[in-house]
Amino acid sequence: MVSDAFESRVPARADQVREIRSQVADWVRELGADRDVVDAVRLAVSEALTNAVIHAYHGREAGEITVRGRREYDRLLLWVSDEGVGLVPRPDSPGMGIGLGLMAQLADGFSVVNRRGGGDGGSAGTVVSMTFELGYGDGGDGR
Amino acid sequence: MGADGDPLRIVEAPGEAGAYVVQPVGELDLATVPLLEERLDALVCAERDTILDLSELSFLDSTGVRLLLEATDRARDNGWNLEVRDPRPLVMRTLNLLGVAGRLGLSES
C-alpha cells in the first residue's frame, strides 16, 4: 500500500532533478491523483529543485536538497528545502521569477520562506512549500 | 517513457523543402538544456531553415522554455528561420501557462 509520506535527500545537482521529480510524480500517481495533478506536481517540483540547484549554494560548496511530501486526506503537501544562502534578489543572475510564477500557478497554495538561524546569524536556507488538491471523487479517501 | 537511457537525445535529419529538422527526444530541463543549446548555437551559424520538432519532447520546464525563447529571439534577430512545431499537449499546457505560445509561433489553445 502506498505510503502517505515521501522523503528524499539529494545533492543539489542538475542531474538529480529529473529523477526526483519523477519519483514524486510516481508517488502522487500511486496516491490516485488526477493525471493533471500528477503533471502539475512533476513540473512544480522540477521548478523548485531547479531553483535550489542554481541558487541555494551560490558561492558556497554545493549542499543538499530535501524533498518531503505528505498526503492529508485529499490534499498533498510538498516541501522542497535546502540549507543554502536563502532566496535573495540578484539582479545580475538568471531570473527566478519565471519558475516562482509557474509554481504559484500550478499549486493551489505556494510559499517560499527563508529560514534564519545559520551559524553566524545568517541564512539557514530556503523552504518552498506547496499544496495540491488531489482531485479525489466525492468521499474519496485515497483508495 | 522509461528511466533507462539518456534523459535527452537529439535527432537531426533533412526535412521538406531543404529545411533541417532538429528533434529533441526525451526531457528538457536544467541538465539537458545545454545539449540542445549547443546544437542550436551551431545551427544559427549554418543559416539553414530549421524546424524544431517538439513531438518527442515528453517534459519541458522553465529552463527549457527560456532556451526556446532565446533561440527563437536570436533566430529572428539573425534572419535565421527557426520554426517550433508539434508540442505535445502537456508541453503546450506549460507554454500556455507561461503565456509564450504565441511568441513561439504556436497558436494558443
Side-chain angles (χ1 to χ4, degrees), chain B residues 9 15-16 20 30 32 38 42 47 50 66 76 79-80 84 88 96-98 100 105 108:
Chain B
R9 60 189 173 87
E16 314 153 348
Y20 194 67
L30 184 64
T32 59
E38 185 186 359
E47 294 180 353
T50 301
R66 193 173 288 122
R76 196 174 302 122
W80 177 44
V84 178
R88 291 185 180 177
N96 281 331
L97 267 179
L98 287 168
V100 299
E108 316 232 359

Side-chain angles (χ1 to χ4, degrees), chain A residues 14-15 17-19 21-22 35-36 39 42-43 46-47 50 53-54 94-96 98-99 102 105-106, chain B residues 1-7 27-31 59-63 65-66 69 90 93-94 97-98:
Chain A
D15 63 3
V17 176
R18 178 183 173 227
E19 178 60 28
R21 68 170 178 253
S22 299
R35 184 173 152 179
D36 284 354
D39 289 342
R42 182 188 294 108
L43 181 54
S46 196
E47 296 298 332
T50 297
V53 169
I54 295 175
M96 267 182 288
I98 184 176
L102 191 50
Q105 283 187 281
L106 290 165
Chain B
M1 163 150 194
D4 299 333
D6 298 327
E27 304 187 22
L28 199 56
D29 68 7
L30 184 64
F59 178 83
L60 176 75
D61 65 15
S62 67
T63 54
V65 170
R66 193 173 288 122
L69 291 174
L90 172 62
R93 279 208 301 279
T94 303
L97 267 179
L98 287 168

Side-chain angles (χ1 to χ4, degrees), chain A residues 74-126:
Chain A
D74 59 351
R75 178 174 298 179
L76 175 72
L77 311 173
L78 279 170
W79 298 269
V80 179
S81 61
D82 61 73
E83 290 139 9
V85 302
L87 186 79
V88 293
R90 291 218 303 279
D92 58 328
S93 100
M96 267 182 288
I98 184 176
L100 293 174
L102 191 50
M103 281 187 274
Q105 283 187 281
L106 290 165
D108 296 299
F110 166 71
S111 74
V112 184
V113 173
N114 284 334
R115 292 189 294 207
R116 286 181 229 293
D120 55 357
S123 170
T126 302

